[in-house]
């Protein structure tokens, strides 16, 4: 029984250390992400959507939110802030300096440029072929 109590106490201390470490990590992450900023989305169908993000969040996260909220595929979105296209790899801090002022983001739906796998399609006089991923069995090593 004493051994059990000793092991439980050691486990409890390790758990508290882990929780403290987790708390410090979340504080560091919060500091890196910066202040909250309100983003007001104007959707292509005329609806509005508002959500709070962090200044350190990437534009990609805004697109993911629109994909989930408005069911517009990530690749079919263009986001504009004050008439300028918002590039995916940038953070909100890169393109917006005042976190106290809401961001007014216009969402535009465009045709996806992603190529879908499948059979060749013919559109007008243009034929598009998609190469399937090759398996190891498909590679002829005799040419090497």
């Amino acid at each position: 029984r004493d051994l059990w109590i000793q092991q439980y106490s050691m486990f409890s201390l390790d758990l508290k250390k882990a929780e403290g470490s987790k708390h410090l990590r979340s504080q560091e992450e919060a500091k890196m992400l910066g202040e909250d900023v309100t983003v007001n989305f104007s959707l292509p169908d005329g609806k509005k959507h508002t959500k709070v993000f962090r200044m350190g969040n990437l534009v990609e996260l805004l697109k993911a939110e629109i994909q989930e909220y408005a069911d517009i595929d990530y690749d079919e979105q263009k986001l504009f802030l004050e008439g300028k296209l918002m590039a995916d790899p940038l953070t909100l801090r890169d393109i917006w300096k005042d976190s106290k002022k809401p961001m007014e983001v216009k969402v535009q739906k465009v045709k996806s440029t992603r190529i879908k796998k499948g059979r060749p399609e013919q559109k007008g006089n243009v034929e598009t072929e998609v190469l399937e991923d090759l398996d190891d069995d498909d590679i002829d090593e005799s040419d090497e």
Side-chain angles (χ1 to χ4, degrees):
R1 176 186 154 118
D2 289 337
L3 181 60
W4 183 84
I5 291 172
Q6 184 180 10
Q7 288 177 339
Y8 177 77
S9 297
M10 289 172 48
F11 175 74
S12 180
L13 288 174
D14 287 343
L15 189 57
K16 287 180 182 176
K17 284 181 187 176
E19 287 174 0
S21 174
K22 184 178 176 182
H23 180 68
L24 286 176
R25 271 191 308 238
S26 64
Q27 284 179 332
E28 290 173 13
E29 288 172 5
K31 186 177 179 181
M32 285 175 41
L33 288 174
E35 308 84 32
D36 289 344
V37 61
T38 301
V39 178
N40 298 320
F41 295 100
S42 296
L43 303 172
D45 62 3
K47 292 182 182 175
K48 304 285 184 188
H49 176 60
T50 299
K51 184 162 180 166
V52 175
F53 292 91
R54 304 297 289 268
M55 290 293 283
N57 289 142
L58 296 173
V59 171
E60 295 173 338
L61 189 61
L62 276 67
K63 285 187 166 187
E65 170 65 20
I66 293 303
Q67 181 170 330
E68 185 177 316
Y69 177 80
D71 198 31
I72 300 172
D73 191 56
Y74 183 94
D75 293 331
E76 295 179 346
Q77 298 177 42
K78 285 195 178 190
L79 305 183
F80 294 90
L81 178 66
E82 296 180 340
K84 295 179 183 170
L85 181 65
M86 299 171 69
D88 290 358
L90 298 178
T91 66
L92 302 185
R93 185 183 298 115
D94 293 332
I95 55 179
W96 194 249
K97 302 302 176 197
D98 187 1
S99 65
K100 292 172 181 43
K101 184 179 173 187
M103 297 175 71
E104 302 295 330
V105 175
K106 181 179 178 185
V107 180
Q108 185 179 47
K109 185 173 180 178
V110 296
K111 288 190 177 191
S112 176
T113 57
R114 183 174 24 157
I115 298 174
K116 298 180 180 178
K117 290 185 177 182
R119 296 172 26 133
E121 297 178 23
Q122 190 159 357
K123 295 182 180 178
N125 294 332
V126 179
E127 185 172 310
T128 307
E129 291 187 22
V130 178
L131 297 175
E132 300 288 334
D133 292 334
L134 294 175
D135 294 331
D136 289 338
D137 298 337
D138 296 332
I139 298 172
D140 183 9
E141 296 179 12
S142 63
D143 293 337
E144 292 180 8

